[in-house]
Amino acid sequence: MIVVMKAGVGADDVQRVIERVAELGLTPHLSKGEFRTIVGAIGQRSAQVQQQLEQLPGVDEVMAISQPYKLASREFHEADTILDINGIRVGGPHVNIIAGPCAIESREVLFTVGKAVKEAGASILRGGAFKPRSSPYSFQGRGREGLELLKEAGDELGMPTITEVVDPRDVPVVYEFADMFQIGARNMQNFNLLLEVGKTDKPVFIKRGLAAPITELLMSAEYVLSQGNHRVIVCERGIRTFADEVRFTLDVSAVPVIQERSHLPVFIDPSHAAGKRDLVPALALAGIAAGAQGAIIEVHSCPDRALCDGPQAVLPHNFHKLMEQIKQIAEIVGHRVTLWGREDAKPRKALAGGWAT
Ligand code: PEP
Ligand code: MN
């Protein structure tokens, strides 16, 4: 249920509602919008509880949330969530490009690619240290050593970093070295993993499962939100269809569908969908044109030698060109690309309070 407070209501009335919700055995969550304050009352709904809440001072109305995901829904939080990640705004009208190699292979590749993507305007550096591979004989990532390199690169370049966590036991070590958790498509429904990252205060980037409907993706986001971590981004990365010319089929329509139902930032991953570097620009631009608030793109300085996902890695100079096109398309749809290595290089003041930070 959501308890919608009257316009201009005082903080003490809101506090009373929060306390009453907890007394009634439900979990309260506060959403402060520009026009209205909402207290989410998450748990078993009953007409009696609803009536009791309706009678509290300052309460305008109490409504059921129609979707199975509650905190992730637009009904709970009307405005787009805008996250503040080390001074970078993510969500709303801001478009951010995450780029870097699929895996952290060596210091040389990570730093070369990191510098190139920063110069091109990417705002967040990616690199996998724990790789979920289809074959147990493939390169599995460099683990902690890789994370240390990623942190070093992020610090030197002044870029926030993202890396995948595949095991709940690795959440503390990833927390120590990276700025954002990536939950991979294969782990979208690893509920213990979602609960673990939900207990932290670092942003969680959840990729859509290979065969997951949108509702299930948003339920995965709900797992994280339910633990008190409100810093969630969801990502469409291609789903399995009969179209076998590409690795996966990028479901571009997922972008507006999720945005209609949820306030969370939506990214796309053209690299894993395409599986071939020549197709990456077209898919990236399609996603940004559809309104995505960012993209995660694999870039490699020497893709022929890459230990993972070489065929889909774009070369630095092509990534540079793509960034220019992304900038133009974003503008057409009323968005603006954060060019961290260029004009947006100065850290901004953190956003104050609210659901997002
Ligand atoms: C990746 O980002 O390198 C990755 C493995 O992605 P996904 O989980 O979408 O397959
Ligand atoms: Mn990859």
Side-chain angles (χ1 to χ4, degrees), residues 102 126 131-132 164 182 184-186 207 237 269 272 298:
C102 175
R126 69 152 286 152
K131 296 305 302 174
E164 181 166 354
Q182 178 175 324
R186 289 153 192 86
K207 294 218 190 167
R237 49 79 72 205
D269 176 345
H272 291 87
E298 289 187 346

Side-chain angles (χ1 to χ4, degrees), residues 134-193:
S134 307
S135 164
Y137 308 118
S138 302
F139 173 64
Q140 303 284 314
R142 290 183 62 177
R144 186 190 169 100
E145 196 194 346
L147 293 175
E148 286 170 2
L149 283 174
L150 184 65
K151 172 145 178 51
E152 215 183 299
D155 288 349
E156 193 172 310
L157 296 166
M159 290 170 92
T161 57
I162 181 168
T163 197
E164 181 166 354
V165 59
V166 298
D167 187 325
R169 291 170 297 187
D170 291 329
V171 168
V173 72
V174 173
Y175 184 92
E176 187 183 342
F177 291 106
D179 297 303
M180 295 169 74
F181 290 106
Q182 178 175 324
I183 303 293
R186 289 153 192 86
N187 270 308
M188 188 202 87
Q189 287 184 316
N190 182 338
F191 300 119
N192 285 334
L193 182 61

Side-chain angles (χ1 to χ4, degrees), residues 24-349:
L24 289 164
L26 302 168
T27 309
H29 289 266
L30 184 63
S31 155
K32 270 189 171 169
E34 198 182 339
F35 302 108
R36 55 179 203 169
T37 295
I38 287 177
V39 179
I42 309 303
Q44 205 57 42
R45 193 180 139 231
S46 81
Q48 196 193 359
V49 166
Q50 185 163 346
Q51 268 173 12
Q52 288 192 17
L53 293 172
E54 272 163 359
Q55 288 166 42
L56 292 174
V59 171
D60 190 12
E61 56 179 334
V62 181
M63 292 185 294
I65 299 179
S66 56
Q67 304 288 359
Y69 41 87
K70 310 295 177 191
L71 303 172
S73 73
R74 278 249 184 235
E75 290 163 86
F76 171 63
H77 190 77
E78 216 173 358
D80 282 359
T81 278
I82 300 180
L83 306 175
D84 186 323
I85 302 177
N86 302 8
I88 296 174
R89 305 270 203 271
V90 176
H94 307 281
V95 166
N96 283 275
I97 306 301
I98 303 172
C102 175
I104 301 156
E105 301 169 2
S106 66
R107 172 188 296 270
E108 200 205 329
V109 170
L110 184 63
F111 277 73
T112 306
V113 175
K115 274 183 204 137
V117 299
K118 184 183 174 177
E119 261 166 45
S123 52
I124 298 169
L125 179 64
R126 69 152 286 152
F130 298 103
K131 296 305 302 174
R133 304 303 300 276
S134 307
S135 164
Y137 308 118
S138 302
F139 173 64
Q140 303 284 314
R142 290 183 62 177
R144 186 190 169 100
E145 196 194 346
L147 293 175
E148 286 170 2
L149 283 174
L150 184 65
K151 172 145 178 51
E152 215 183 299
D155 288 349
E156 193 172 310
L157 296 166
M159 290 170 92
T161 57
I162 181 168
T163 197
E164 181 166 354
V165 59
V166 298
D167 187 325
R169 291 170 297 187
D170 291 329
V171 168
V173 72
V174 173
Y175 184 92
E176 187 183 342
F177 291 106
D179 297 303
M180 295 169 74
F181 290 106
Q182 178 175 324
I183 303 293
R186 289 153 192 86
N187 270 308
M188 188 202 87
Q189 287 184 316
N190 182 338
F191 300 119
N192 285 334
L193 182 61
L194 296 171
L195 291 173
E196 261 335 281
V197 294
K199 289 179 201 145
T200 75
D201 58 3
K202 288 203 174 171
V204 183
F205 185 90
I206 308 176
K207 294 218 190 167
R208 182 180 182 182
L210 317 187
I214 284 167
T215 300
E216 289 180 13
L217 171 61
L218 291 174
M219 289 308 286
S220 296
E222 189 78 10
Y223 261 91
V224 177
L225 299 170
S226 72
Q227 298 306 296
N229 187 346
H230 300 161
R231 309 177 79 199
V232 176
I233 297 163
V234 292
C235 177
E236 160 59 41
R237 49 79 72 205
I239 50 174
R240 195 145 264 159
T241 68
F242 53 80
D244 59 1
E245 295 80 4
V246 285
R247 195 173 172 192
F248 295 95
T249 300
L250 187 73
D251 178 10
V252 177
S253 61
V255 175
V257 170
I258 298 170
Q259 285 171 341
E260 189 194 325
R261 298 188 194 173
S262 175
H263 51 88
L264 298 172
V266 183
F267 276 49
I268 47 129
D269 176 345
S271 305
H272 291 87
K276 297 176 194 149
R277 78 177 59 89
D278 292 351
L279 299 177
V280 169
L283 298 189
L285 295 173
I288 298 299
Q293 286 134 326
I296 180 165
I297 301 175
E298 289 187 346
V299 180
H300 202 289
S301 45
C302 191
D304 302 353
R305 294 182 180 211
L307 298 178
C308 186
D309 286 348
Q312 70 198 31
V314 294
L315 286 156
H317 68 275
N318 288 331
F319 177 71
H320 203 286
K321 259 190 241 161
L322 177 57
M323 281 299 295
E324 295 306 314
Q325 294 174 323
I326 287 176
K327 229 167 75 178
Q328 292 175 36
I329 298 287
E331 252 167 56
I332 291 171
V333 297
H335 286 169
R336 183 169 181 277
V337 181
T338 303
L339 295 167
W340 193 239
R342 298 194 245 162
E343 61 256 43
D344 289 354
K346 282 184 265 29
R348 284 180 265 187
K349 250 190 8 206

